[in-house]
Amino acid sequence: MQHEELEGDQPLNIELPEEIADGVYTNLAMIAHSHTEFVIDFISMLPAMPKAKVRSRVITTPEHAKRLLMALKDNIDKYEETFGKIKLAEEPIRFPMNFGGTMGEA
């Protein structure tokens, strides 16, 4: 499966391999950053399970992270115009910060 998109005047050919096209379900994301990059871990966490698993990791530049933020906001705004406001749980989801590894120290 391939998509053609335009960036300026140059056509951009984007290939979507079949094994990636199905996607991966996640219900949690953890984000870290340095001065040169953002790391986004997409995690699957199941109820009553003591362990969560990183399903995908995306590493990107600060500029692209900001573009992703703007694109997500635009898409959420359009979604809510069509389907209504997205309701958030009143209590934040609590999960262990170490995910089975050692805890960092400041």
Side-chain angles (χ1 to χ4, degrees):
M1 173 188 244
Q2 293 189 345
H3 298 283
E4 292 263 342
E5 303 216 355
L6 296 178
E7 184 177 302
D9 291 337
Q10 299 289 339
L12 180 62
N13 187 5
I14 299 173
E15 183 178 339
L16 181 59
E18 218 174 291
E19 63 273 11
I20 294 176
D22 287 339
V24 174
Y25 177 78
T26 66
N27 54 6
L28 178 65
M30 295 187 73
I31 303 170
H33 66 276
S34 69
H35 72 285
T36 58
E37 61 197 12
F38 276 72
V39 178
I40 307 167
D41 285 334
F42 293 94
I43 299 163
S44 177
M45 185 174 70
L46 299 174
M49 295 296 289
K51 208 171 184 183
K53 186 173 185 178
V54 173
R55 297 294 180 174
S56 182
R57 171 173 278 187
V58 174
I59 303 169
T60 191
T61 65
E63 180 183 357
H64 283 100
K66 191 159 192 175
R67 290 183 188 279
L68 175 61
L69 172 67
M70 292 184 313
L72 279 170
K73 177 166 181 2
D74 181 55
N75 277 268
I76 288 171
D77 290 345
K78 289 174 182 172
Y79 176 95
E80 289 183 333
E81 284 174 18
T82 303
F83 302 106
K85 291 283 182 196
I86 299 169
K87 295 176 185 161
L88 298 176
E90 290 183 25
E91 286 253 343
I93 298 170
R94 302 201 186 282
F95 53 90
M97 291 300 291
N98 65 358
F99 282 98
T102 58
M103 290 293 289
E105 292 184 21

